[in-house]
Amino acid sequence: MAVLDQLEPKKVFQFFEELCQIPHGTFDTKRISDHCVAFARERGLEAAQDDANNVIIRKPGTKGYENSEPVILQGHVDMVCEKKPGSSHDFSREGLELYIEDGYVKAKDTTLGGDDGIAVAMIMALLDSNDIPHPPIEAVFTTDEEVGMGGAMAIDLSVLKGRKLINIDSEEEGILTTGCAGGFRYETLIPVHRERKTGTIVTLKIHGLQGGHSGIEIHKQRGNAHKMMGRLLNHIGKSVEISLAEINGGSKDNVIAMESTAEILVADKDAAAVKAMADEMKAVWDNEFMGDEPGLAVEADTSADSTVDVCDKAGTERVISYLVTCPYGVQGYSRKLKGLVETSMNIGILETAADHVKTVYLARSSVESKKQEMKEVLAACAKTAGGEGQCYNEYPAWQFNPDSELRQIMEDVYEDMFGKKPEVTTVHAGLECGLFLGKKPDLDCVSFGPDIMDVHSFNERLGIESTARSWKYLQAVLAKCK
C-alpha cells in the first residue's frame, strides 16, 4: 500500500512516491530517466532523451492556449544520497522508505530527494492532467545537478521554443529566486610519506553533526567535522607525539561534513591522555555551539598495540596544518542585499591514499572576482601544505534581471492568491538557470518551490501543506501565461 496515497494533491504525491522507489542518486540516473520517457510515451507525449540522460517532454497547450508561447518547466532528477550512521540502506538498489510525521514527508534514516523530486512530480502531474489550463509545456528534466550540474552542462537547449523558464528547485515557500551564486570545485592532494612504527592506534571520530546544504545553510554556522577534526588533532599534537595513519569523511562536497574519522598512532603511555583531550574538546564545542549541535559526539577508541604504516612527522604536520588553516564557512556577505551570503567555502570530503590525503572543496560566490580570489586562496593553501590543487566543474552565477516579465507575473499571482507580496531574492547556491542562460541568453528565469527542510541530510523533510499551496500557485501562474 502506498504511504502517500491519502495526501493532497493526490497526483503530485503519487508521482513523487513512484519516483522515490527508483534509485536515482547523482550519476545513477538512467533508470529514472527511462521512467520519465516511458511516462511521456504512455500518455502520447513527445519525449527526447540525450546521452546525459536528460529528458525533454512536450505537451500542447489546452483549449484557448494552443497558440500561446511555450513555458519551460524544469527540475532535476538526481538526489543527494546521505544516510544516518549505521543505516544499511543501499541507494543503488533500494527505494526510499517514506513516512509522514508532523505535517512532513520524510524518508527513514536517509535523504528524501524532495530536492528535486517534488519538481519532477509536479511537472508530471501537469503532463498527466486533462483539466488544468496551461500554455504549451516544455518539460526539462536534467541529471547530475547535485555534483557539477553535468546534465545542464550537456543539454542542448536550442530545441526549446519557450523563453519563460520556471525552475522548481527552491526550498522555501513564498520566495521567488531570481539569481544564484556561481561556484567551482577544488581538489587538493597533500603528499605524505609512510614509515613503519609501533604503538597504540587511537580511532578518533567526530559525528552526530547536523550537516546540511553547503550553500543555503552555510550562514547557520553549523559544525564542519573536517575542520573540527583538524582542531582536535592539533590540540592533541601539542601535548603528545602523534602519527597520522589515515583520515576520512564526507561523501559530497555540497554537504556540510557531518562525520570525520582519523586513526592516529601514539605511544602506549599516551593513549589515555588522548581520550581525555577528546573529551576536553567535546566540552569546548558544546560550549561554543550553545545547543546548536545537540547530537555532537566525539569518540576516541584504542586498539591493541600495533605495528603499522603511518605518515611520517612531516606528512602528519602538513595535513594537520592544512586542516587548521584552510577556510570554511561564510567568507563575505552581500553589500547590496542585507543578510545574503556573497561568498562561502565548504570542505566536504577527506580521503586518504597510500601517498596522499585528498580534500575536496565547493566554493561559491555571486561576485565573479571573489570567486577567482577563492581559487587563489585554495591554491595558496595547497602550496603551503606542499600539495597540488586543481579547479574543476566551474559554473557561472545567474544575475538578477530587473526587466523580467515572468517575475512580475509570478509576483502578481502570489499577491492575488495569498494577500501578500512574495520575497524576491537571490540564493547562495548553484542553480541550473545560470548554465541555461549561458546557452540561451534570452531566457527569462524564476525559481520557486515548497518548503523542504534540511536538504542534503538524513533529516530532510517536505512540507505537505506547502506542497499543496505551491501546486495551486504553479497552476495559477501557468493560467496567466497566455
Side-chain angles (χ1 to χ4, degrees), residues 7 40 79 100 244 266 285 292 308 338 378 393 405 433 475 479:
L7 300 183
M79 66 173 284
I100 300 167
L244 181 68
V266 300
W285 283 321
D292 282 350
V308 295
K338 186 176 180 181
L378 289 175
N393 280 152
E405 179 185 351
C433 297
Q475 294 177 66

Side-chain angles (χ1 to χ4, degrees), residues 327-398:
Y328 163 69
V330 176
Q331 304 296 301
Y333 283 91
S334 172
R335 299 179 187 277
K336 298 296 184 183
L337 298 172
K338 186 176 180 181
L340 182 71
V341 177
E342 172 202 88
T343 304
S344 74
M345 308 278 273
N346 181 61
I347 177 171
I349 300 172
L350 276 178
E351 294 178 356
T352 300
D355 61 352
H356 67 261
V357 171
K358 181 173 78 173
T359 72
V360 184
Y361 260 89
L362 179 55
R364 308 175 193 265
S365 185
S366 55
V367 178
E368 184 63 27
S369 60
K370 297 296 290 185
K371 192 171 73 170
Q372 299 307 314
E373 182 191 13
M374 291 302 98
K375 289 184 190 177
E376 296 172 7
V377 169
L378 289 175
C381 286
K383 183 177 179 180
T384 301
E388 296 181 353
Q390 178 184 6
C391 175
Y392 62 102
N393 280 152
E394 186 169 2
Y395 55 90
W398 162 26

Side-chain angles (χ1 to χ4, degrees), residues 459-474:
N459 294 314
E460 182 184 359
R461 55 201 185 276
L462 169 67
I464 296 169
E465 292 184 1
S466 178
T467 298
R469 290 189 295 267
S470 297
W471 167 240
K472 291 178 182 178
Y473 175 60
L474 177 59

